[in-house]
Amino acid sequence: MNNTAQVPELIVIVGPIASGKSTIAYELGSRLRAAGRAVAVLDLDDVVDTIGGFAGLQLVYGDLVGAWLRQRLDVVAHGPFFEPEEDEALLHAVPAGVTPRRVQLLATYEVALERTTLDSDRGLSKDPKLLRFAYDRVASLLSTMPPSEWTFDTTTRSSREIVDTLAAVFLPERA
């Protein structure tokens, strides 16, 4: 369990479809747990699946993020938080004193299309038109997104390299 005097970490991972958000989030969560941290890895897609749609869900997801932080767990939250309203919904229940640490993942449309095509668990995100729309949307919003402390191109850096970089920050005593 985390030290109760320690302020929990909120690590927000953003990126377009198939940029590696889930992979990085789960690998980072595992690394933090292995070091003795209590961590909740929260996937916006899981919440969408739970209620069978997107309506009102970002506020619920934000409530979940806040609830885990109030329990003194570190939270790795990943999803498409690109627009101010999406970011506000994510952060509305975050306790005072917790500052989101942002990680942005980038990939090309072509690599994302290849990744989604090879992933048998993918549904709608395999549709090239939907994927193109999503990538165009992200590109149009990049200049207005909240700034990230880290930006990684997942077409040139492995998930292990990315997690090693982040672990050195969040587990400095073990780096």
Side-chain angles (χ1 to χ4, degrees), residues 16-19 105-109 111-112 115 135 152-155:
I17 296 168
S19 61
L105 302 180
L106 304 172
T108 64
Y109 165 80
V111 168
R115 289 175 179 170
Y135 269 73
F152 299 102
D153 182 340
T154 63
T155 65

Side-chain angles (χ1 to χ4, degrees), residues 5-159:
Q6 177 181 334
V7 174
E9 294 284 359
L10 171 56
I11 305 162
V12 179
I13 301 176
V14 299
I17 296 168
S19 61
K21 296 181 301 293
S22 296
T23 299
I24 300 302
Y26 287 108
E27 288 181 15
L28 180 59
S30 292
R31 181 80 63 89
L32 295 172
R33 286 184 196 112
R37 307 278 297 252
V39 180
V41 177
L42 304 177
D43 184 345
L44 183 63
D45 290 342
D46 290 342
V47 178
V48 171
D49 288 344
T50 299
I51 66 168
F54 212 75
L57 119 92
Q58 287 181 326
L59 282 174
V60 172
Y61 185 77
D63 288 339
L64 185 59
V65 167
W68 283 119
L69 290 167
R70 284 189 297 282
Q71 293 300 311
R72 316 292 302 168
L73 270 75
D74 295 325
V75 173
V76 180
H78 56 105
F81 311 111
F82 304 123
E83 297 192 61
E85 302 79 27
E86 295 165 342
D87 198 58
E88 289 170 19
L90 167 68
L91 302 177
H92 81 275
V94 170
V98 175
T99 302
R101 310 287 302 271
R102 296 177 191 279
V103 179
Q104 182 177 23
L105 302 180
L106 304 172
T108 64
Y109 165 80
E110 293 76 18
V111 168
L113 183 59
E114 181 180 336
R115 289 175 179 170
T116 59
T117 300
L118 296 172
D119 186 349
S120 61
D121 292 333
R122 294 277 179 173
L124 287 175
S125 61
K126 284 186 176 191
D127 177 359
K129 288 181 184 175
L130 173 71
L131 191 62
R132 172 47 64 196
F133 173 81
Y135 269 73
D136 289 347
R137 176 179 178 251
V138 171
S140 74
L141 295 172
L142 281 176
S143 65
T144 61
M145 287 172 51
S148 294
E149 290 181 59
W150 303 273
T151 300
F152 299 102
D153 182 340
T154 63
T155 65
T156 61
R157 297 206 49 199
S158 72
S159 61

